[in-house]
Amino acid sequence: MFEIRLDGTRLEIDDSATLGDILPGHPSSCSVAVIPPAEAQAALTRNIRLQTSAGEVVIEIPEEGAAIFSEEYFAGYLNSESEPAELSVKWTDRQSVAFGPFSSEIIPDRHQHRYARGDVILGCGGYDPRTSYLIFSRIPHIADHGAQADGGVVAHVVSGMAVLEEWTKGDQILRMERMMSRADTSTAFTTTDMATPLTEGMQIFSHVLASANGYRKEGIDTTRAASVEHLLRTMGSERMTVSLASSTHIRDDRMKDSAVEFEGDPHSRFEGTITTRVQGRNRGSVYIYTEDIPGSVNHTVVGQVEQGIELPILAGGGETFIVKVEPKQLDLRGMELADALKLAKERGIIAEPDTEEMQSVVFEQKPATTLEILAEGKVALTTVPLSQVITIELFEDEAPKTCHIFRSVTGLRWYDIGKMPLLMKFEDVYLFQPEVSKKTIIHRENLPEGEVPANILAMTNDSRKTAGLVGVRTVPSAEFGPTSEPMESTNIIGKILDPEKLKGLREGKPVYLREAER
C-alpha cells in the first residue's frame, strides 16, 4: 500500500492501482492532471494551498515572505506527513478572520494599517508575538492587527475567497502544501489513459471547481449577471474544451461570437481568474488564466477557480476536462412546465407560470439570468403550447458550419428552445425565414445526392438570392430540395422528428424548436 492525493484528499491505495481504479466512471474524453513527487521544484513555487475544514484556499506569497511559511512557524502543516497541531479560527468578524495562536518573532508596530480584500496578515494579540495569528482580510479595511511596521501582509488570496466568507468558529486549517509551479511541468502531465499506473506521492486532479462572480451564500451580487450567465451556459455540460493554450491562459471558443457586454470594472487577472471576452475576434470565448496579468476592458471577470488550477496549467490545445461551476445554471427555457416547476422547487425558487397546462413548454423566464433568479427567489414563466413546439435533429457532423448558423439565427445556440417564423406553406412545402445577416456566408455544405427523403430540414446556401431560407418537404423529392431550390443550392442540416405538427402552423407566426437529446 502507498499514499497519493486525489483532488487534495489523501488516499491509501494498492501498489498495482491505476487511474481507473481511483476514478471509476471518469469520462474517457476528459483529461486528468498527474503530478509526480517534485519536492525540489515545489520549493520554488510562491503558491500555497490551504486545506481547511470549510474548503480550499490558495495564497500567493511574495519572495520576501517565503520564510514565514516554514517549518519554524507551522511545523506539521507545510509539506509534512505528520499530524499537525490545531490551527483554528480564534475570532472572526465582518472584516477579517484569524487562525491561531502560535508563536512568532514579529515586532508589533502598535499602529493601524490599511488592508485590501484577500490580504493575509501576520499579527498578534495583545502585542505579544507568542500569541500570533494568520489573519485573512475579508473586505478592505483599516485596523491594528498587532502587525509589524510594514503592515504585516505576508501573502494574498488568489483563489477561494468564497471560503473566507464561510469560515466561522470551529473551522481549522488542516494542512498547507506548496503548489506546482511552471517549473514542474517537465514531469507533470495530463492524460485520458485510465490504465496509467500510480506511484507513491502522486497528486491527481480530476476536475476543476469554480465559483461564479457575485455568487455568495450570504448574498448575491447581480452586477455581472448577464456575463456570468454566459459562463454558466458555456460550462453547462461541465466541460472545458481547450481551443487555445498559451503561456498565460487557456481559452474555450465554443461560444465564440456571442453577444457579451462589458460589465463592471476591469480587474487584474490573477492565476485562476475566469473571464469572457467582450469585444474583438474572440468575443464570447471563455478564458482561464494560469499567470497573473493586468485587467482589460476587453474582458469581464466572470468567475474564479477554487480548486484544481493544475488542470488548466497543464492542459494543451484540443484537450477537454471537467469544470464544475457554482451555482449551476438555472434556465427553465425549453422544459415542459411540469419539469420546470419541479426543478425550480428543488432549487428553492418560486415559479409563477402563465398557465396551468403542464404539457406546455417554457419559452421565456423573468428574470432571465441565474443570479437574478437566485437573488429574487422567484421567476415568472411564459409558455407556448406543446403543439407549437417541433423537435428536430441536426446533422452536426455532416453540416457543422450551416448548423452553427441555424442555431445562431433561431436562438438554439444559447437556449434549449428557439424559434423562426413560417413564411409560407404550399402543397408539401413549408418555408421559414429566420433573420440571417447579409454578412453571413453560407457556403455549400452537405448537398443532397439523389432523392431527398420526407421531413428533411435544409437551408439555402449563397448560390441563390434566397440564401438563409429554411425549408422542409413532407414528401420525398428527387427534383428540388426542401427549400424548393435546386439541389446544388440546398444544404441539408437535419430532420423534423414530429412532422404531424407542421399542419397546425400558420403563416406569419413563429414555430418553436427544440433539439432532440444527443
Side-chain angles (χ1 to χ4, degrees):
M1 300 287 287
F2 59 84
E3 186 178 280
I4 64 164
R5 289 183 178 275
L6 173 60
D7 297 316
T9 301
R10 295 186 187 186
L11 287 182
E12 284 195 357
I13 59 175
D14 188 84
D15 293 348
S16 61
T18 65
L19 276 179
D21 295 325
I22 63 170
L23 293 172
H26 188 82
S28 60
S29 61
C30 293
S31 295
V32 172
V34 179
I35 304 173
E39 289 82 4
Q41 293 95 331
L44 302 177
T45 187
R46 293 168 56 190
N47 283 2
I48 295 178
R49 178 187 291 108
L50 309 182
Q51 299 286 355
T52 83
S53 53
E56 177 182 292
V57 174
V58 176
I59 61 175
E60 183 180 61
I61 58 177
E63 296 289 352
E64 61 274 13
I68 299 298
F69 295 91
S70 66
E71 294 288 348
E72 178 183 354
Y73 288 95
F74 301 114
Y77 285 93
L78 190 57
N79 295 334
S80 171
E81 297 304 317
S82 62
E83 288 298 320
E86 182 177 293
L87 190 60
S88 59
V89 173
K90 180 65 174 179
W91 52 260
T92 177
D93 57 27
R94 187 175 66 91
Q95 296 180 337
S96 56
V97 56
F99 286 85
F102 53 88
S103 181
S104 74
E105 298 176 357
I106 64 174
I107 302 174
D109 181 45
R110 297 175 181 256
H111 285 87
Q112 291 187 332
H113 297 277
R114 185 182 299 274
Y115 299 105
R117 183 171 185 258
D119 282 346
V120 183
I121 307 138
L122 180 60
C124 62
Y127 302 112
D128 183 353
R130 290 174 298 181
T131 55
S132 295
Y133 299 93
L134 265 188
I135 304 166
F136 293 78
S137 174
R138 286 170 160 169
I139 61 173
H141 68 281
I142 298 174
D144 178 2
H145 288 303
Q148 296 194 135
D150 61 0
V153 176
V154 294
H156 189 82
V157 175
V158 294
S159 74
M161 281 301 301
V163 177
L164 270 65
E165 307 295 336
E166 297 182 8
W167 279 336
T168 187
K169 274 290 190 71
D171 280 318
Q172 297 180 356
I173 294 177
L174 305 174
R175 181 179 172 83
M176 301 181 185
E177 58 185 0
R178 299 280 187 171
M179 289 184 66
M180 182 194 67
S181 68
R182 285 200 166 271
D184 301 319
T185 58
S186 60
T187 56
F189 60 93
T190 57
T191 183
T192 57
D193 183 4
M194 291 294 106
T196 300
L198 303 176
T199 59
E200 173 73 41
M202 269 188 173
Q203 295 187 60
I204 311 298
F205 295 91
S206 66
H207 63 275
V208 171
L209 295 180
S211 60
N213 189 287
Y215 179 70
R216 298 179 185 175
K217 292 183 179 179
E218 73 283 359
I220 295 174
D221 181 357
T222 60
T223 302
R224 294 176 174 82
S227 298
V228 166
E229 195 69 17
H230 180 73
L231 168 67
L232 300 182
R233 176 67 179 182
T234 303
M235 301 299 168
S237 61
E238 296 190 342
R239 300 290 187 271
M240 173 90 179
T241 298
V242 184
S243 304
L244 173 73
S246 77
S247 60
T248 61
H249 65 268
I250 59 173
R251 192 180 77 213
D252 187 329
D253 289 340
R254 286 176 297 165
M255 296 301 287
K256 178 180 174 182
D257 299 326
S258 297
V260 183
E261 303 299 329
F262 180 75
E263 294 181 300
D265 300 322
H267 288 271
S268 295
R269 291 167 283 180
F270 296 112
E271 179 183 284
T273 297
I274 306 174
T275 73
T276 184
R277 190 171 178 90
V278 299
Q279 57 184 339
R281 61 183 300 180
N282 293 310
R283 183 182 186 187
S285 294
V286 170
Y287 295 63
I288 297 181
Y289 286 86
T290 54
E291 290 282 348
D292 298 350
I293 64 173
S296 169
V297 295
N298 294 323
H299 289 258
T300 292
V301 174
V302 293
Q304 176 68 46
V305 172
E306 302 291 349
Q307 180 178 310
I309 187 61
E310 289 81 357
L311 261 170
I313 287 175
L314 291 171
E319 289 192 64
T320 296
F321 56 84
I322 297 173
V323 176
K324 300 178 181 180
V325 183
E326 186 70 17
K328 290 186 177 181
Q329 186 183 33
L330 183 55
D331 192 340
L332 306 176
R333 286 165 286 199
M335 299 179 68
E336 292 190 21
L337 184 56
D339 295 330
L341 295 179
K342 180 181 177 182
L343 179 56
K345 184 177 181 180
E346 290 173 353
R347 298 287 294 270
I349 301 299
I350 298 172
E352 301 172 341
D354 63 352
T355 181
E356 295 182 358
E357 176 51 59
M358 291 297 105
Q359 286 193 324
S360 59
V361 179
V362 178
F363 178 66
E364 289 183 354
Q365 62 181 33
K366 291 184 180 181
T369 68
T370 300
L371 290 188
E372 290 172 313
I373 293 173
L374 296 178
E376 292 190 18
K378 61 182 180 180
V379 59
L381 305 178
T382 301
T383 63
V384 294
L386 183 59
S387 60
Q388 295 180 21
V389 182
I390 291 176
T391 304
I392 62 173
E393 176 186 344
L394 293 181
F395 300 156
E396 176 73 27
D397 294 337
E398 294 82 359
K401 294 180 180 178
T402 315
C403 286
H404 176 83
I405 294 170
F406 179 79
R407 289 192 179 105
S408 298
V409 298
T410 59
L412 285 170
R413 191 174 176 215
W414 298 281
Y415 312 110
D416 290 336
I417 188 169
K419 67 176 182 178
M420 59 181 177
L422 177 63
L423 178 64
M424 65 176 68
K425 56 181 179 179
F426 58 92
E427 298 177 353
D428 61 324
V429 178
Y430 292 79
L431 297 178
F432 307 89
Q433 194 168 40
E435 293 185 12
V436 180
S437 170
K438 293 182 179 180
K439 296 180 180 179
T440 301
I441 300 174
I442 309 174
H443 292 298
R444 296 185 180 187
E445 185 180 48
N446 198 31
L447 302 180
E449 296 180 3
E451 182 178 83
V452 179
N455 306 318
I456 290 295
L457 200 62
M459 177 177 282
T460 301
N461 58 44
D462 281 343
S463 66
R464 310 293 287 187
K465 291 182 179 181
T466 55
L469 198 67
V470 175
V472 61
R473 286 180 178 272
T474 56
V475 298
S477 175
E479 186 176 0
F480 293 101
T483 62
S484 291
E485 299 286 5
M487 298 295 191
E488 65 272 13
S489 301
T490 304
N491 292 359
I492 301 297
I493 61 172
K495 63 180 178 181
I496 290 180
L497 302 183
D498 42 14
E500 67 278 2
K501 292 183 179 180
L502 291 172
K503 295 180 180 179
L505 302 182
R506 296 169 57 188
E507 292 182 358
K509 299 295 182 179
V511 55
Y512 297 89
L513 307 166
R514 291 190 300 183
E515 284 193 61
E517 292 186 9
R518 288 180 286 175

